[in-house]
Amino acid sequence: MNRAELERLDREQLILRAEAAGVVRSRVLTRPELVDELLLRSTADYATKQRARGLFGIARDLIARVVEQGLHLPDAAERIRALGTPTSARPTAPAAMPTVTLAEIYAAQGHRARAVETLEGVLAQEPEHLAAAALLRRLRDSRFPVPPPRMAPEEEARPVQAAEPDSDVKGPTPSEPSHMLDDAPLPPRYDVDECVAIPVDPVTLYVYWEVRARTLDYVRGDHPGGPGGPGGPGGPGGAIVLRVVVIVPTWNGPQSSVRDHEVHSTVGDFFVRDLPAGCVVRAAIGYRDGTVFVALAHSPALETPPDAPSPLLSDTLVRWTPTGTVRISGVDPDAQAIERALGRVRRTAAQERRAAAAAAQAAGSPLGSSERWPAVSAP
């Protein structure tokens, strides 16, 4: 039977057909749910099934698929497919279709009034729905236990009525909630001592900081500059300095350098430029008096991104698992595909190295020697 023929049947006929087809909780489902479930079982062709099920059934299948594949909860997904559990509507979407399952969800969450309203909607469409009427009688009884709600239910969308041309309402109807039009600006400071560094590109670091006035006064009081006096926030003998420590890894060991930038401000930001690509960097905001530097806040150690792909290739392949890394063996089902991909990478790297070595040798550079460019054997 097609959808039109099923919709002409009364509720009891639909229930009998659904029970014969193996639909779970047939007497609890509403007429649209019963029709969807019968259509689902009437054809084995996927495309025909999707066209026959309608929007309600397709939406239920999508929810079940997300729960099963995205959340890895196959049991919950099967219950959604079997029971027809709908999702709550977004604040900007129309109200959800009233079903007994939805009313049970509201009651389990402690929203008695919303559950009663949902059941009344079911009975308004299907007065002969005995399960909805029975649950409604229990919920209207104040002695029926309902857990306290943990959060307020979502508001149903209300259609906005347009003002009549001859009404007294003046001015355009607002298209945004009022709370979105009068957000307060961000505060100029948060009364914290902090220094945050963010790599922008291989050679640039963005740093912003804030230093509390009482922290700076305490540090200045321990140094000859003393509090107050001319010379700006740092005092007559000192200054507020952004110190950047740069460490460059080399074959001869790490090489470090220190860069100081006088910023003369307790709140601000700064772009540190011309850094070595792939270096390790750490920034600190502090007070410098002569050769003495007192850090007030610092960032964690960061690594700037490299400016080119690494010339080194791994020779051991491992697969990550929740219990740790496992070396890929010949019995791994993906071993051959991984080896083919790795072979292409190695061949490309070998070709690029030979081309660079040839170009360097033609230009008379020592980079063309075999000591700097070892041969790579591609599988």
Side-chain angles (χ1 to χ4, degrees):
M1 300 181 69
N2 57 29
R3 177 176 290 275
E5 293 172 337
L6 289 173
E7 289 178 345
R8 284 196 292 267
L9 301 178
D10 60 29
R11 175 174 176 78
E12 189 62 28
Q13 292 174 320
L14 288 173
I15 291 175
L16 293 176
R17 287 179 175 271
E19 289 177 343
V23 178
V24 183
R25 295 202 342 162
S26 301
R27 296 192 175 275
V28 174
L29 302 182
T30 59
R31 285 178 55 86
E33 292 176 297
L34 289 169
V35 171
D36 283 341
E37 293 299 331
L38 289 172
L39 290 173
L40 173 64
R41 289 160 172 78
S42 64
T43 178
D45 179 65
Y46 179 78
T48 305
K49 184 186 300 184
Q50 291 298 97
R51 290 193 298 269
R53 295 210 65 198
L55 294 178
F56 189 80
I58 294 174
R60 187 163 64 235
D61 285 347
L62 291 175
I63 297 169
R65 194 178 310 161
V66 171
V67 171
E68 182 176 26
Q69 300 180 3
L71 302 180
H72 305 290
L73 298 174
D75 294 339
E78 188 59 31
R79 291 189 62 187
I80 291 174
R81 293 189 180 100
L83 304 181
T85 305
T87 56
S88 59
R90 295 177 58 188
T92 57
M97 178 181 294
T99 65
V100 176
T101 306
L102 180 59
E104 291 173 344
I105 293 174
Y106 280 136
Q109 294 176 344
H111 306 305
R112 185 192 297 266
R114 184 61 62 83
V116 169
E117 179 183 352
T118 303
L119 291 171
E120 290 174 345
V122 173
L123 292 173
Q125 299 177 8
E126 303 179 41
E128 71 279 10
H129 201 305
L130 301 180
L135 181 57
L136 180 59
R137 285 195 300 270
R138 293 199 299 270
L139 289 175
R140 283 177 172 170
D141 187 351
S142 59
R143 295 171 296 178
F144 183 76
V146 173
R150 289 179 293 180
M151 62 180 65
E154 295 183 0
E155 293 293 334
E156 299 287 355
R158 303 293 182 185
V160 178
Q161 301 292 336
E164 296 294 334
D166 55 349
S167 65
D168 296 333
V169 179
K170 297 182 180 180
T173 302
S175 58
E176 296 185 20
S178 58
H179 69 274
M180 297 180 62
L181 304 178
D182 56 354
D183 286 340
L186 294 176
R189 59 172 63 238
Y190 293 89
D191 194 33
V192 294
D193 297 324
E194 68 173 355
C195 180
V196 179
I198 304 173
V200 177
D201 55 43
V203 296
T204 308
L205 187 74
Y206 173 73
V207 185
Y208 69 88
W209 67 89
E210 177 182 343
V211 176
R212 293 177 294 181
R214 59 179 178 273
T215 303
L216 183 60
D217 291 341
Y218 176 80
V219 173
R220 288 189 305 197
D222 290 341
H223 292 272
I240 299 177
V241 172
L242 175 65
R243 172 163 291 189
V244 180
V245 179
V246 182
I247 301 175
V248 180
T250 68
W251 294 112
N252 299 322
Q255 297 180 354
S256 61
S257 61
V258 177
R259 305 183 184 184
D260 282 352
H261 305 275
E262 294 190 5
V263 293
H264 302 292
S265 176
T266 56
V267 179
D269 56 4
F270 190 86
F271 282 94
V272 182
R273 305 185 186 277
D274 300 325
L275 293 170
C279 67
V280 178
V281 60
R282 191 168 191 174
I285 190 71
Y287 179 76
R288 188 184 65 187
D289 184 13
T291 59
V292 178
F293 176 81
V294 180
L296 305 178
H298 59 79
S299 73
L302 303 170
E303 185 175 353
T304 59
D307 59 351
S310 173
L312 304 177
L313 293 178
S314 300
D315 56 2
T316 302
L317 298 179
V318 297
R319 183 189 298 277
W320 184 91
T321 67
T323 59
T325 56
V326 178
R327 185 166 183 168
I328 296 178
S329 61
V331 298
D332 192 294
D334 299 326
Q336 294 183 355
I338 295 174
E339 284 293 341
R340 288 195 299 269
L342 181 60
R344 290 193 294 269
V345 173
R346 285 174 173 168
R347 286 192 293 271
T348 302
Q351 293 171 359
E352 292 177 351
R353 290 187 178 185
R354 285 195 294 269
Q361 189 173 12
S365 170
L367 291 178
S369 64
S370 59
E371 295 181 357
R372 293 296 301 274
W373 296 98
V376 177
S377 58

